[in-house]
Amino acid sequence: SLKVNDLTILEVSANTLEKVGQDVIEGLTKTPKSLPAKYFYDQRGSEIFEAICQLPEYYPTRTEALILCQYAEEIAQITGTCELIELGSGSSTKTRLLLDAYQAQKKFCKYVPIDVSETILKESAIQLQKDYPALYIQELVGTYEQALAQFTPTIWPARMIFFLGSSLGNFNPSQCDYLLNQITGVLEPGDYFLLGIDLQKPQDILEAAYNDSQGVTAAFNLNMLSHLNWRFGANFDTHFFTHEAIYNQEKSQIEMYLTCQSSQIVHLENLDLTVTFKTGESMLTEISRKFDLELMEKDLELKGLKTIKIFTDPQNWFGLILCRK
Ligand code: AVI
């Protein structure tokens, strides 16, 4: 670990993403092509995602914030002083609602934000430290899998892992199983898990949220190619690709694609890879699953996580599940 601006920063692994280009190779060499959604989040991607969260069509962020606003106090009361581990903390904006509740109840906590995007993680931690001087913050740069593998039993009275924004929805069922098992493994009996999930709702509302009128989601999707360009020395021409997002009813998931509008040969120098795109060829860049609260409750129970309380908004658009191991 190293000291930067009085914050202890633990680098899970330096240049983590540079080493894992293998997943890009796998995704681009299979048919149909796909890319892992984690490549959205370079610095620019994280900034665009923050802008998505403010969009009128993108209801998840404000709906979850509303739920947290209403129930953070209750959550802090239930868990008491604890070590708070956040998966995919980004700007930690919604986290403040929880931190405020713990602070108001004089329950002093340790906060461990985890994110692949180092810049946003560090900047947010510096800002948080200013606003919550009594909070002990220790950021972890890395993927969830790498970061979760670092934890040993906590010396704090309890531990709560929280995973907000329905980011779990960006993983397919077998990846979800793996992640939930890993989360359970980091918790001791009596520890907590708080999960925010986006719920099923009419298709038009879902599709509008991923096809916003200002084109911010399109820019987010296309930025993945710019990210691959600088990270892997690739030469994707973003002008030839367009954003598409459709709701797959059968799988209850939004699917985001980048579609190639005219045939392309793309070279990714650092990966020693050349890929051909046909006109009209689509590449899956993200799934965003929309969940059913009862099914999720059962799934969590199978993983050894017992639901204590479910919090939702009046429209039942988004759900927060608090469970205990
Ligand atoms: C981070 N994740 C939960 C977002 C989602 O809604 O699946 C990412 C996103 N993709 C397009 N808009 C937002």
Side-chain angles (χ1 to χ4, degrees), residues 37-320:
K38 72 173 182 223
Y39 289 104
F40 283 134
Y41 303 97
D42 63 348
Q43 189 180 346
R44 170 120 184 85
S46 295
E47 282 163 12
I48 306 176
F49 181 66
E50 289 304 310
I52 288 178
C53 293
Q54 311 284 331
L55 290 170
E57 297 97 333
Y58 195 73
Y59 61 84
T61 312
R62 61 171 181 275
T63 311
E64 188 179 42
L66 201 84
I67 302 170
L68 276 172
C69 235
Q70 200 169 348
Y71 298 108
E73 214 177 292
E74 194 175 334
I75 294 166
Q77 225 144 35
I78 293 173
T79 73
T81 293
C82 61
E83 182 191 56
L84 299 163
I85 300 173
E86 179 167 20
L87 300 174
S89 52
S91 65
S92 297
T93 310
K94 279 172 292 179
T95 316
R96 288 169 177 259
L97 298 166
L98 276 175
L99 297 176
D100 287 343
Y102 283 95
Q103 186 170 270
Q105 293 175 34
K106 304 227 169 353
K107 293 180 171 125
F108 297 102
C109 293
K110 174 182 175 182
Y111 175 48
V112 187
I114 298 170
D115 210 283
V116 279
S117 201
E118 192 172 345
T119 316
I120 193 165
L121 185 70
K122 287 181 183 170
E123 279 170 3
S124 322
I126 291 167
Q127 204 46 52
L128 274 180
Q129 195 67 86
K130 279 191 195 140
D131 299 340
Y132 300 87
L135 188 67
Y136 173 40
I137 306 175
Q138 187 178 44
E139 317 94 273
L140 279 176
V141 184
T143 63
Y144 305 142
E145 187 182 354
Q146 292 163 333
L148 285 169
Q150 306 292 308
F151 290 96
T152 49
T154 185
I155 51 162
W156 288 73
R159 175 177 264 169
M160 177 165 82
I161 297 183
F162 60 107
F163 197 19
L164 302 179
S166 202
S167 294
L168 187 70
N170 299 136
F171 293 91
N172 69 34
S174 67
Q175 293 168 328
C176 274
D177 274 355
Y178 183 86
L179 186 58
L180 289 174
N181 282 329
Q182 220 193 348
I183 288 169
T184 314
V186 173
L187 301 174
E188 297 288 329
D191 283 344
Y192 300 91
F193 179 48
L194 179 68
L195 177 67
I197 49 171
D198 197 9
L199 305 176
Q200 288 158 17
K201 59 185 63 61
Q203 180 160 359
D204 54 335
I205 296 166
L206 287 167
E207 287 188 341
Y210 293 82
N211 288 290
D212 66 278
S213 58
Q214 295 170 62
V216 183
T217 312
F220 178 68
N221 202 359
L222 286 162
N223 178 67
M224 188 189 278
L225 301 181
S226 309
H227 182 189
L228 296 185
N229 282 350
W230 70 258
R231 193 172 285 280
F232 299 113
N235 62 349
F236 282 102
D237 187 337
T238 55
H239 296 103
F240 290 113
F241 289 86
T242 50
H243 160 80
E244 268 178 69
I246 53 124
Y247 187 60
N248 181 331
Q249 284 279 5
E250 208 182 307
K251 292 188 172 172
S252 302
Q253 65 188 25
I254 284 283
E255 293 171 357
M256 285 209 328
Y257 295 93
L258 285 170
T259 303
C260 187
Q261 298 305 330
S262 93
S263 61
Q264 294 293 300
I265 296 172
V266 178
H267 186 59
L268 296 91
E269 203 177 325
N270 305 350
L271 300 178
D272 201 13
L273 177 72
T274 302
V275 205
T276 320
F277 287 87
K278 295 192 189 97
T279 304
E281 186 174 348
S282 287
M283 170 165 67
L284 181 71
T285 50
E286 182 180 65
I287 58 163
S288 189
R289 296 164 63 207
K290 306 303 162 191
F291 297 99
D292 175 283
L293 271 175
E294 279 175 24
L295 288 179
M296 181 55 82
E297 199 182 334
K298 283 193 191 122
D299 216 21
L300 291 170
E301 173 120 39
L302 287 175
K303 303 272 179 314
L305 297 166
K306 223 175 161 20
T307 297
I308 305 175
K309 196 136 190 200
I310 291 178
F311 309 98
T312 51
D313 55 291
Q315 287 171 296
N316 274 301
W317 275 12
F318 203 94
L320 272 183

